[in-house]
Each structure stands twice: as structure tokens, then as C-alpha cells.
Amino acid sequence: MNVAVDEPKCVAAGQCVLIAPEVFDQREEDGVVVLLDGTPDPVLHPVVRESALACPAAAIHVTTS
Amino acid sequence: MSRTVLVGASAGGLATAEALRRAGHQGEITLVGDEPHLPYDRPPLSKQILKGEWKPDRLALRGRADIDALDLDLRLGVRATGLDMAARTLLLADGTWLPYESLVVATGIRARPLPGAEQVAGVHTLRTLTDALALKARLSAGRRLVIVGAGFLGAEVAAVARGLGVDVTLLEADAVPMAQAVGEEPGWFLSQLHRDHGVRLRTGAAVSEVLSVGGEVAGVALADGSEMPADDVLVAIGSLPNTEWLAGSGLALGDGLVCDEFSAAAPGVYGVGDVACWHNPLFGTKMRVEHRTNAGEQALTVAHNLLNPDAPRPFAPVPYFWSDQYDTRVQAYGYLRDHDEALVLESDVTARQFLVAYRRGDRLTGVLAMGKSPKILRAWRALIASGAAWEAAVTDTAAA
């Protein structure tokens, strides 16, 4: 799995951090998403997919090879 | 094979379809939407689109390939007009009858109109892409915009319009804008922000008539006899849930489609997003939440419950919303309405920072902030989610 984030689209809702704190964090100053791990462990794939679904700005893109 | 029909092709309907597929659902899924566009995101309409920062194609919630991969029976540009629950059949405006096994109602809301002004050119509401582009085309330096209703939508548009050099008058019927939603002091704080940016704010302003000349808007007349000249008028006085098509179906309709704690309106029928009024067990109250984040979260729960009717999950979120005002962002977690107290913990108009905690009974139910680190807000959110007692939450967090 490859994860990418579209920073300018991010609205700093923090939904992804709540669902998958191993993969996402937020910048201190403006809350914009920080991708901690672009190729997460398979055990995390369900929560990453859920994060992409729950993101209010559709700013998380998941591709599987 | 079973057919699931999702009515409403915006964020909630699309997220439900995605969640069903990701859970391995193989059945037929029909997605019905009255707008001709593929699902698009609405919050940027009053922000990036109105500013001109984004072109409309940036709003697409998913690319065409992602939509195709969901293998949907996509019916766009057609409105649902009726429902026969006994026959489990949905009627569309083009005369099609669609049988379903499960139904998800995600028909959203529409802008509440100002009676008598609907046909006047230059009178706008803002809910769809078409609305936003029409308003955007009219905003430029020196033009006069009167906004009726100083809620978050009206306030966002005021901020964007000022940035474009528009002469903005904001009319609010209440004594303090947004006071019902966020409390008096936070309402005053936000009002001051707009005044500092040159917005003419009139409170206690009851609109009696939209003035027009030859079918074009000319201004707004108030009940006190005063008149505000305008080149354009934005009506931002709230919304109406799109439930008329369900009248007579047997479903309970009140302030939206009435659902239980599992977001179910009837066996096999669920509500998602702005249209759904459901019992949130976390706060012990019915609520209807028009926030973008809620639609996505509710879709996830509804997809689960639809596939696991014997092991349903209650939908018990901490609602979240954000609003951009000038160069800062307002963020809120929890249920702010019907609060018994809104306690201002920090307030600095010059630094554009504030922090407000909300109490209902002896419990912390919400937090509203501007210019604060989202990480601080996450700690508050956790307290709200755990049903923290008010005294302890305010004392501990204020001290931290």
C-alpha cells in the first residue's frame, strides 16, 4: 500500500490522526496533516483506508500495487 | 442479488458506497443524485471557489477511475420523488421505479429561501456549485453585497468578499450573531473580527422586503424603515432538510429524517449526513449535524449496520466543524447547541485567539477555538468523548 496526502486540500480536521495515529500526525501550527509512513504495515491497512474514507477533504490517497 | 439504493450523490452517499465496497459487499449499488455532477465537496464553495483559488474540477471527491472501480449503477441528474416502503421501491422523477433491499437516505439540505425574493436577479443562496459560480461571477471590488444572516456561512462569505474588495453589509436578526449556536461572548468576538475587516454589521435587523428594479435586486428594506442598497444579496438564513419526497412513505419526518441511535429510520432504511436527525447516545440527545465530517463518519457506521443488521453499532460521534474567517480558522468539537454555559477561557481579539468550553448540566459537551493548535483541541475532544465532568475538565485543562 502507498499512501499520499494532498496538503493544500487538508482542512486540519484531524480525523486521520484519531483513526490511524501510527500513520498520520498534524503540524503543530496549523494542524495540516503530516504523513508519518507512506508504506504502512499491512496490519494498518484497514485503519488507513478508514482514514481516507473519513477525511472530510478527500485529501488522503491510497493506492495498492 | 441484493440491491442497495443510495439516494443523494454527495459526500454521504459516496462514502456509504465506498464503505460498502471496502467491506466486501458484492451486491448491486445504485447511487441516485439530482445534480448532474459526480460527487463533489461543498465546504470549499464558500472558501476557495468563491475566492477564485480553485477551479471547480478541484472539488471532485474522487476521480472518475475511483468512481468506476466502485461498480455503481450511477443515476445522476435525476431526483427521487417518492418511496413505497411496503413494496420496497423508490420512484424517480424520470418515471423509473427502483426496487431496493436496503435504502440509504442522504439527500442533504437546501438553502432556506427568503420568501418573495426567489425570482429576483442578484439574489443568491449558496449550496451548490452552480450557486457558488453565480455568486463568484458577481463579486468584485466596489460592488455592494448585502448578506442576510450572520451564521457561519454568511460570515465566511463576508470574509471572502471583503478580501475581494467588496463592500459588505451583514444583517443579523438576533442581537448577537451566532449567539444561539456558540454563545454571546464568542458571538461578539466573531462580530468584532468582521467589523475590524470593514464589514458593516447590523444586528436586530429584520428584513421586510428585497427591493428590485426591473427584476434586478436594488437593495434590502428593513422593518425599521431603513434601506440598504445592494448590487447582490446573499440569503444565508439556514437550511431545510430535503425530505419532502418521503412524505406519506411512513417514515418519521421532523427536523429531517428521524433515525434511531443506529441511524436507522426503519428496517433496512438508514439516514446519512445533513438530512438525518438521529439519537446520539454520547450526548443523550437527538441531533442533526450539517458538518462535512459528520457525513463521512455516519456513512461508515451505516455501511456497517447495513451489512451487519444483527450486530449494529450505535452512531455516537463527537461532531466537528471548521470555518475559515479571514486568515484564521475556527474549529469546534462537540455539541455546542442547547448549552447551559459557554465559558470563555481565553479571548484576545488582537491576536485573533479564543477558546471557549461548553457545559450542559455538569458535563463538558463542546469546545470552540480560534487560532489554537489543533493538538490542544484533540485533548479537549478526548475529554468530550469520555463524557468528562465539567469542573474537572475546565480546571485541569485550563491549568495544563
Side-chain angles (χ1 to χ4, degrees):
Chain A
M1 169 186 276
N2 281 296
V3 186
V5 295
D6 186 342
E7 275 194 26
K9 270 197 164 184
C10 175
V11 298
Q15 300 291 101
C16 55
V17 188
L18 292 170
I19 297 168
E22 304 87 349
V23 180
F24 303 103
D25 197 0
Q26 285 176 282
R27 276 204 305 248
E28 192 70 45
E29 62 276 20
D30 59 4
V32 165
V33 63
V34 174
L35 183 62
L36 301 175
D37 185 356
T39 53
D41 189 272
V43 74
L44 294 170
H45 290 185
V47 287
V48 172
R49 288 204 167 88
E50 193 176 322
S51 297
L53 267 179
C55 173
I60 298 170
H61 301 283
V62 175
T63 47
T64 41
S65 45
Chain B
M1 200 177 285
S2 71
R3 169 148 54 181
T4 304
V5 174
L6 315 174
V7 191
S10 194
L14 175 66
T16 309
E18 287 194 316
L20 287 169
R21 288 298 186 225
R22 287 190 178 171
H25 182 60
Q26 303 282 322
E28 212 179 308
I29 301 177
T30 302
L31 183 63
V32 178
D34 62 346
E35 288 184 75
H37 315 284
L38 284 176
Y40 65 91
D41 208 15
R42 292 179 201 277
L45 294 177
S46 57
K47 307 176 181 77
Q48 291 89 345
I49 291 291
L50 213 53
K51 274 186 207 168
E53 283 177 0
W54 289 9
K55 297 281 177 239
D57 59 5
R58 192 113 169 82
L59 296 186
L61 284 170
R62 293 288 179 263
R64 183 81 223 190
D66 289 335
I67 301 274
D68 289 346
L70 293 173
D71 187 24
L72 304 176
D73 169 18
L74 203 52
R75 313 278 182 107
L76 296 178
V78 60
R79 186 179 294 274
T81 54
L83 177 66
D84 183 338
M85 286 233 288
R88 290 203 168 214
T89 306
L90 179 81
L91 177 62
L92 303 184
D94 63 5
T96 309
W97 286 94
L98 276 179
Y100 65 84
E101 188 175 292
S102 309
L103 178 73
V104 174
V105 175
T107 41
I109 53 174
R110 63 183 183 280
R112 183 189 296 275
L114 194 62
E118 288 113 310
Q119 303 306 321
V120 180
V123 174
H124 308 261
T125 53
L126 181 48
R127 177 65 192 160
T128 66
L129 176 57
T130 307
D131 295 340
L133 295 176
L135 181 57
K136 164 72 189 149
R138 307 268 293 196
L139 297 181
S140 58
R143 300 268 297 176
R144 297 163 304 173
L145 173 68
V146 170
I147 300 173
V148 183
F152 278 101
L153 179 69
E156 281 189 358
V157 173
V160 170
R162 284 301 299 142
L164 295 170
V166 176
D167 173 23
V168 178
T169 303
L170 196 48
L171 302 179
E172 170 58 41
D174 286 342
V176 182
M178 291 170 275
Q180 252 192 320
V182 303
E184 290 214 358
E185 271 190 81
W188 276 121
F189 185 99
L190 290 167
S191 304
Q192 196 51 47
L193 190 67
H194 287 277
R195 287 199 168 105
D196 288 350
H197 283 86
V199 171
R200 199 176 301 109
L201 176 65
R202 288 277 307 263
T203 55
V207 172
S208 61
E209 192 189 351
V210 167
L211 306 170
S212 63
V213 175
E216 285 268 347
V217 72
V220 171
L222 301 184
D224 66 5
S226 59
E227 293 184 357
M228 311 270 130
D231 300 305
D232 289 277
V233 171
L234 173 70
V235 178
I237 52 173
S239 58
L240 300 168
N242 293 320
T243 55
E244 287 77 5
W245 64 285
L246 297 170
S249 66
L251 291 173
L253 306 176
D255 175 31
L257 174 63
V258 179
C259 300
D260 65 12
E261 65 181 303
F262 304 106
S263 218
V269 181
Y270 297 87
V272 164
D274 300 355
V275 74
C277 175
W278 90 103
H279 181 82
N280 185 337
L282 182 59
F283 297 89
T285 186
K286 273 207 177 300
M287 55 179 75
R288 189 172 66 75
V289 174
E290 298 179 2
H291 306 150
R292 175 61 184 81
T293 37
N294 196 64
E297 288 186 280
Q298 199 159 18
L300 291 173
T301 300
V302 162
H304 171 90
N305 293 349
L306 209 146
L307 298 176
N308 303 277
D310 297 329
R313 287 203 296 243
F315 182 54
V318 175
Y320 166 83
F321 80 87
W322 82 95
S323 175
D324 292 340
Q325 313 273 332
Y326 305 97
D327 50 1
T328 45
R329 176 164 288 169
V330 179
Q331 290 187 297
Y333 282 106
Y335 185 63
L336 275 45
R337 284 194 179 271
D338 306 328
H339 56 260
D340 294 320
E341 182 181 356
L343 180 66
V344 178
L345 297 168
E346 288 179 46
S347 178
D348 185 338
V349 176
T350 318
R352 309 239 189 280
Q353 284 196 343
F354 72 79
L355 181 65
V356 188
Y358 296 82
R359 172 178 71 79
R360 203 171 168 216
D362 57 3
R363 197 180 142 177
L364 172 75
T365 50
V367 64
L368 177 79
M370 185 166 196
K372 303 296 292 181
S373 165
K375 290 195 173 178
I376 294 170
L377 291 185
R378 285 221 302 276
W380 281 97
R381 183 201 177 280
L383 288 170
I384 296 163
S386 68
W390 171 253
E391 287 295 343
V394 171
T395 316
D396 296 353
T397 316

